[in-house]
Amino acid sequence: MGVDSQYVEVAAEVFSLLSDPTRIRIVLALRDEELSVNHLADIVDKSPTAVSQHLSKLRWGRMVTTRQEGNRVFYRLTDEHARNLVAEAVSQAEHALEPRTAHERAGVAPGASAHTHTHSTHRTEDRASNGKCPAR
């Protein structure tokens, strides 16, 4: 994938769809199971109407799909891609806000008083570890 990839604009639309906290929460709720609108509304603490609107956008982006059972509609993630994108984004947020905590949980030497490696170190490690921070 290069900078001239035909998919760059579509990728930006995917990030735009996932730029809303409620949609991220919906994807997180759908990680392991399919759920109805009402159940999702309870989980993300929003009205069923608001959740339906978010689900409509996620359906448009082909991130979620539906299954109907009688008069109830159940939503599930279309595939693992949205799940992985959201998981990586949440991990990045955690790493950015609480780097010591994330590193300590990953088994980095306890007692380190500060974030001991630089982002240039990350770039070197990223090339060696396929883009994954070794602390994750």
Side-chain angles (χ1 to χ4, degrees):
M1 288 183 220
V3 297
D4 59 345
S5 172
Q6 64 184 359
Y7 302 111
V8 168
E9 283 77 19
V10 176
E13 289 178 23
V14 168
F15 283 123
S16 177
L17 279 172
L18 293 174
S19 68
D20 184 278
T22 299
R23 288 194 284 272
I24 290 173
R25 288 182 175 99
I26 289 169
V27 170
L28 289 170
L30 293 172
R31 283 179 298 194
D32 299 319
E33 60 183 327
E34 63 180 21
L35 299 167
S36 68
V37 171
N38 288 334
H39 195 171
L40 279 166
D42 288 341
I43 292 170
V44 301
D45 198 27
K46 298 289 180 186
S47 73
T49 302
V51 169
S52 288
Q53 291 171 353
H54 287 293
L55 286 165
S56 177
K57 290 177 182 179
L58 292 171
R59 278 186 74 184
W60 175 83
R62 297 187 178 132
M63 291 184 194
V64 299
T65 189
T66 61
R67 176 182 66 83
Q68 189 155 355
E69 187 177 291
N71 62 353
R72 294 184 64 189
V73 178
F74 293 89
Y75 289 83
R76 68 181 179 276
L77 296 178
T78 302
D79 54 40
E80 75 281 355
H81 298 295
R83 176 187 308 124
N84 294 342
L85 278 169
V86 167
E88 284 297 318
V90 171
S91 292
Q92 176 62 34
E94 178 187 35
H95 185 80
L97 294 176
E98 301 181 40
R100 284 192 343 211
T101 302
H103 283 91
E104 288 170 1
R105 281 198 305 269
V108 172
S113 61
H115 193 111
T116 57
H117 56 275
T118 64
H119 289 281
S120 62
T121 303
H122 273 290
R123 284 190 289 277
T124 302
E125 291 167 349
D126 286 350
R127 285 191 292 273
S129 64
N130 296 324
K132 296 208 187 285
C133 173
R136 285 187 215 151

